[in-house]
Amino acid sequence: MSTPDRLRSLEQLAGFNETQASRQLAERLRGLAREEDRLRQLQDYAREYAGRSPAAGTTVAALQAGRRFLERLQGAVGQQLDVVQRARQHVDQATAD
């Protein structure tokens, strides 16, 4: 293979790798946006649920169940925060490569 042919092959390979890296970054950015959206939804719902006033005549058992549900919801928010952080790390890795 002549030198110009080798250079052309290397240029094509470099272009392919660059395109592949761009696609991977775009995919990771979409994933991050999806996870951040889920986080916002969970946070909004937890805020709305926490702001509700119990209806008159609500039993102690119902209040306790509501409190347990809110705790689980807040746990889900914490887990989603972890998912978002990992997604951000994946984006950072893709931009560093």
Side-chain angles (χ1 to χ4, degrees):
M1 187 181 280
S2 67
T3 302
D5 290 338
R6 286 183 190 155
L7 288 175
R8 215 172 295 120
S9 293
L10 287 174
E11 287 173 348
Q12 289 172 345
L13 182 59
F16 173 77
N17 287 339
E18 188 175 312
T19 301
Q20 190 175 10
S22 295
R23 285 185 192 138
Q24 186 179 39
L25 176 59
E27 181 181 320
R28 289 180 182 191
L29 286 169
R30 282 191 299 273
L32 174 59
R34 249 190 335 268
E35 298 304 339
E36 287 176 333
D37 187 50
R38 287 182 186 144
L39 176 60
R40 276 189 295 277
Q41 289 174 352
L42 282 169
Q43 288 171 326
D44 290 347
Y45 185 64
R47 199 172 13 263
E48 287 175 26
Y49 194 85
R52 291 181 184 174
S53 297
T58 302
T59 65
V60 171
L63 290 172
Q64 290 173 337
R67 183 180 46 81
R68 284 191 302 272
F69 176 73
L70 185 57
E71 288 171 359
R72 286 194 305 272
L73 189 55
Q74 290 169 339
V77 168
Q79 289 175 350
Q80 189 62 26
L81 280 168
D82 292 341
V83 170
V84 167
Q85 183 59 35
R86 282 193 302 277
R88 283 186 183 135
Q89 289 171 349
H90 285 143
V91 168
D92 291 345
Q93 287 173 350
T95 56
D97 293 342

